[in-house]
Amino acid sequence: MPRLPAPDYPDDVRTRLEADAREIIARYPDSRSALLPLLHLVQAEEGHVTRTGMQFCADVLSLTTAEVTAVATFYSMYRRKPSGDYQVGVCTNTLCAVMGGDAIFEALQDHLGVGNGETTGDGKVTLEHIECNAACDFAPVVMVNWEFFDNQTVASAKRLVDDLRAGAAVEPTRGAPLCTFKDTARILAGFPDERAGAVEASGSAGPASLIGLRLAKGESGAARVVHPRGGGAPQDQPPAEHLSSHDAPQDTSASDPSHPAGPTAEEGE
């Protein structure tokens, strides 16, 4: 059977959303450029992007529902099914994974009794594994509604989700205070965060991320070089210079003197 058209919003909801949509569309010289924030707007209404929300976006932008659906299904920040008040994302990209992200994600699945992209029975937490959030120097990283919780462990991640489900106060490592996923979606739609002190608390990157900037400004401190293998003590002088793999071929691996490769073998030996 053909799928029935999406139901419309109630009149009062549609009137309110149309006023917000006009404000968003006015920011762009081409109205269809407003599609991404409009999808965040309808996500803020129901907690995920419904067929009704996509039809609304198509109507106000004079697009087809196919055009809207193509965008809504491309970006992972748009939820396609009901989800929790708190989106808990565990980074499982390479560095976070080897630093403990895989273990955290597996432990939280067992602890919460849900799989990837699933929501706890109380509707509080949706768990998912996510790609890199550009915070590798704080690995492993967990994000809640896109706010950072750095340097996590299995134990701290379990406490975090327990506190979220219990309604306890939870403070991100850095960034603005937490709000619900619907409130986060409205902020992402481009509307101001009106909570007292929230904007000022947004801050910036953490100290580890800003070391390069500090050095570029000439604010360098004493160099600290750690031996790459063998647990050697930190040194205050650079290691002996060695050729990289892009320089002239060598018979042994100068970059790893403790594990020489040996003489280069001739073909067939």
Side-chain angles (χ1 to χ4, degrees):
M1 294 291 293
R3 196 175 191 183
L4 296 174
D8 201 355
Y9 287 120
D11 290 343
D12 59 330
V13 174
R14 187 176 181 93
T15 299
R16 172 168 48 80
L17 289 177
E18 285 177 342
D20 288 340
R22 286 193 294 271
E23 182 177 339
I24 292 172
I25 294 169
R27 302 171 190 159
Y28 300 91
D30 186 340
S31 63
R32 69 181 297 148
S33 299
L35 178 54
L36 295 181
L38 281 177
L39 286 169
H40 283 299
L41 175 67
V42 298
Q43 184 160 252
E45 186 65 32
E46 299 179 83
H48 67 293
V49 177
T50 63
R51 293 174 58 232
T52 297
M54 288 190 283
Q55 183 65 62
F56 173 82
C57 292
D59 292 343
V60 298
L61 295 176
S62 299
L63 299 174
T64 66
T65 53
E67 289 173 308
V68 175
T69 302
V71 174
T73 57
F74 182 83
Y75 294 103
S76 61
M77 290 180 74
Y78 301 123
R79 312 298 175 187
R80 300 300 309 283
K81 61 183 180 180
S83 55
D85 293 333
Y86 299 100
Q87 304 283 327
V88 176
V90 182
C91 182
T92 54
N93 221 321
T94 306
L95 184 58
C96 277
V98 300
M99 293 293 287
D102 282 346
I104 290 173
F105 184 63
E106 182 178 349
L108 288 184
Q109 289 185 92
D110 292 339
H111 186 64
L112 296 173
V114 298
N116 181 45
E118 295 180 352
T119 302
T120 55
D122 57 10
K124 293 292 186 180
V125 170
T126 297
L127 178 68
E128 62 179 350
H129 70 80
I130 52 178
E131 293 299 321
C132 181
N133 283 282
C136 301
D137 40 358
F138 298 100
V141 173
V142 173
M143 300 198 80
V144 179
N145 293 349
W146 309 113
E147 299 294 348
F148 286 101
F149 289 80
D150 302 318
N151 301 313
Q152 292 294 294
T153 64
V154 168
S156 66
K158 286 182 177 179
R159 288 196 301 271
L160 171 61
V161 296
D162 286 346
D163 287 344
L164 291 173
R165 299 183 72 184
V170 174
E171 294 293 333
T173 308
R174 50 200 165 97
L178 282 183
C179 55
T180 67
F181 181 67
K182 289 183 179 181
D183 290 335
T184 301
R186 184 169 176 82
I187 294 169
L188 291 173
F191 292 96
D193 188 343
E194 298 178 347
R195 296 174 297 159
V199 175
E200 292 79 1
S202 295
S204 62
S209 300
L210 297 176
I211 289 177
L213 176 62
R214 181 171 57 80
L215 294 175
K217 290 181 176 180
E219 302 172 3
S220 58
R224 183 173 182 270
V225 180
V226 179
H227 196 278
R229 290 182 189 264
Q235 305 168 3
D236 290 330
Q237 67 275 356
E241 182 180 359
H242 63 262
L243 298 174
S244 75
S245 59
H246 299 289
D247 291 305
Q250 303 170 80
D251 291 338
T252 60
S253 174
S255 62
D256 190 4
S258 299
H259 298 77
T264 304
E266 295 294 335
E267 185 176 355
E269 291 185 7

